[in-house]
Amino acid sequence: QKLFFRSRSSHLKVNNKNNIMKWGRLVLVSFLSLVVGFMLATEFSPTNNDTTTTAFHSKFNTIRGDSSYDKDTREGHWPRIAWLMTFPNSGTTFTQSMIRSVSQRDTGTNYKKEGGLDDAKPIYAESPNGPFWATSWNVTSEHTLETPTSYVLTKTHCGGRCGTCRLPQYVENPHSFLLRCRSSTKTDHHYDASLVHKSVHLIRNPFDNIVSRFHHTRKQYVKNNETEKLNLFTYSKEGFRNYCSMVNDEFGEIDKEIKRFTGPNILDAMKSIPCYQDFFRYAQWHNLAFVTTDDLGIPTHLLHYEDYEENFDETVNNLLKFLDLEWRGDNIEFIKGKKYSTYFTLKERKTVASLMKELSSVKTWNNIEHYFTFPATI
């Protein structure tokens, strides 16, 4: 099984020292994917390891729970599901809230417990494992918003996203990633992928995204009244870097595997980056998101978080058009200025740029390359 870190890997020519090191990194991620594949085999995957296109699609259809699936005959339910596919803390909540406000139509979610109740109302009665309505949590309540007649923007974070977990838990392959894209809180509770007809792929500047993930974790410390952590991990650049030092120390098992295939310089470069594991997760997540929507054959709308700041009305109108929704209500304020690149030194940002280029597929890199342009002086 392949981790799909670089679809352009076949174009590499191992003819000098630098390319040999690149090849080593590709072997590394393939090795990690194989490890995870074996660990997940009984839960997610058939035993057939054939990597041909035919075998891959056969596995894909099996994991859907629909071995006779045919993309050309995807008919049935209205409204239909349009996934909002996001690496956590990249603008998910704002996007859903904004769509609900301007369209006056409800949205959906994979995660039935995030509203605080266990009896969230499924969008389709015949699919009790989800997806669920985002605002009508109690099955006895009335919808506070009208039901869309077109597409329901439905939140999914898919897999490979845990912020403080050990190596096997955040390495994914296309097979396991898709399963988690259509899962609720438990992996054995999932719905059929044939319910999904479109996707919105949201991308945020990786530096901003990863600092925002720290902010989210800190909110959990506040909720749990963890005073010692709050004092150490303050809402600041220093607090972020303290937090990353803790994460790098406690969850650095990947180091020994990296060292097997790369020289100490590459490992040292990675370890010098605050929360370097999250950059690994970020690249993997977007690579697999592109693989998933391509294989499902569904139309995908690419949305960058900064689009809201640069041209709000056009961005919202384009998204509404994609979802076949109308602008009926008021918009909500987009808070500008949530940018955190300066939490990293210029040297760290340049190192991240080099590593992300190596880890990213062609599609991922084409959509994040603009985040790595640096001024001559700072």
Side-chain angles (χ1 to χ4, degrees), residues 169-196:
Q169 294 174 275
Y170 65 76
V171 177
E172 299 277 356
N173 56 45
H175 202 54
S176 62
F177 189 81
L178 171 64
L179 184 67
R180 292 190 170 104
C181 286
R182 58 191 183 91
S183 299
S184 55
T185 52
K186 295 182 179 180
T187 55
D188 58 340
H189 292 166
H190 51 265
Y191 53 87
D192 198 293
S194 64
L195 295 176
V196 184

Side-chain angles (χ1 to χ4, degrees), residues 264-332:
N265 292 339
I266 297 297
L267 177 58
D268 290 344
M270 287 192 70
K271 293 180 70 174
S272 70
I273 300 169
C275 289
Y276 71 87
Q277 296 97 335
D278 243 3
F279 288 100
F280 176 96
R281 286 186 278 262
Y282 177 99
Q284 175 191 234
W285 192 96
H286 287 290
N287 291 347
L288 290 171
F290 281 116
V291 168
T292 298
T293 53
D294 284 351
D295 200 88
L296 287 173
I298 55 178
T300 299
H301 179 74
L302 284 173
L303 174 63
H304 290 81
Y305 183 75
E306 67 271 17
D307 293 344
Y308 289 124
E309 183 168 343
E310 294 171 2
N311 196 330
F312 184 86
D313 286 354
E314 181 180 348
T315 299
V316 174
N317 273 317
N318 288 340
L319 183 54
L320 289 171
K321 182 178 179 180
F322 181 74
L323 298 171
D324 291 341
L325 295 172
E326 295 181 6
W327 195 318
R328 298 171 181 269
D330 297 329
N331 61 28
I332 59 176

Side-chain angles (χ1 to χ4, degrees), residues 88-105:
N89 304 105
S90 56
T92 319
T93 300
F94 175 81
T95 299
Q96 284 208 302
S97 299
M98 178 272 297
I99 286 294
R100 286 195 295 267
S101 180
V102 300
S103 72
Q104 292 295 293
R105 297 294 183 269

Side-chain angles (χ1 to χ4, degrees), residues 65-309:
D66 180 8
S67 59
S68 62
Y69 180 80
D70 182 350
K71 294 186 182 74
D72 294 330
T73 59
R74 183 184 295 171
E75 299 294 344
H77 298 289
W78 285 99
R80 294 177 172 178
I81 301 303
W83 272 342
L84 176 60
M85 302 179 73
T86 63
F87 189 66
N89 304 105
S90 56
T92 319
T93 300
F94 175 81
T95 299
Q96 284 208 302
S97 299
M98 178 272 297
I99 286 294
R100 286 195 295 267
S101 180
V102 300
S103 72
Q104 292 295 293
R105 297 294 183 269
D106 208 350
T107 58
T109 180
N110 276 13
Y111 311 108
K112 65 184 296 184
K113 291 188 177 182
E114 68 181 357
L117 297 173
D118 292 334
D119 57 355
K121 187 173 182 179
I123 292 174
Y124 306 120
E126 61 272 35
S127 182
N129 291 329
F132 307 93
W133 290 112
T135 61
S136 299
W137 295 106
N138 192 311
V139 294
T140 61
S141 69
E142 295 294 329
H143 280 289
T144 56
L145 294 170
E146 291 186 37
T147 300
T149 57
S150 54
Y151 292 92
V152 183
L153 187 65
T154 301
K155 170 182 174 180
T156 179
H157 288 315
C158 300
R161 54 188 168 83
C162 57
T164 52
C165 61
R166 303 195 180 279
L167 176 62
Q169 294 174 275
Y170 65 76
V171 177
E172 299 277 356
N173 56 45
H175 202 54
S176 62
F177 189 81
L178 171 64
L179 184 67
R180 292 190 170 104
C181 286
R182 58 191 183 91
S183 299
S184 55
T185 52
K186 295 182 179 180
T187 55
D188 58 340
H189 292 166
H190 51 265
Y191 53 87
D192 198 293
S194 64
L195 295 176
V196 184
H197 294 257
K198 288 186 175 184
S199 72
V200 175
H201 184 160
L202 180 58
I203 301 173
R204 188 176 185 181
N205 181 313
F207 299 109
D208 301 343
N209 201 162
I210 284 158
V211 174
S212 184
R213 278 165 65 79
F214 158 66
H215 293 161
H216 178 77
T217 299
R218 196 176 185 281
K219 289 177 183 178
Q220 298 304 309
Y221 296 153
V222 172
K223 182 178 179 180
N224 298 331
N225 197 29
E226 298 182 61
T227 306
E228 185 176 347
K229 289 183 177 179
L230 290 172
N231 290 335
L232 180 61
F233 308 138
T234 56
Y235 201 87
S236 64
K237 175 180 177 179
E238 181 183 10
F240 168 72
R241 296 182 73 90
N242 288 340
Y243 170 78
C244 290
S245 294
M246 179 272 291
V247 171
N248 287 2
D249 290 342
E250 291 191 15
F251 303 98
E253 300 92 333
I254 194 173
D255 295 354
K256 61 184 179 181
E257 303 300 343
I258 294 172
K259 204 168 186 177
R260 292 179 60 179
F261 298 98
T262 66
N265 292 339
I266 297 297
L267 177 58
D268 290 344
M270 287 192 70
K271 293 180 70 174
S272 70
I273 300 169
C275 289
Y276 71 87
Q277 296 97 335
D278 243 3
F279 288 100
F280 176 96
R281 286 186 278 262
Y282 177 99
Q284 175 191 234
W285 192 96
H286 287 290
N287 291 347
L288 290 171
F290 281 116
V291 168
T292 298
T293 53
D294 284 351
D295 200 88
L296 287 173
I298 55 178
T300 299
H301 179 74
L302 284 173
L303 174 63
H304 290 81
Y305 183 75
E306 67 271 17
D307 293 344
Y308 289 124
E309 183 168 343

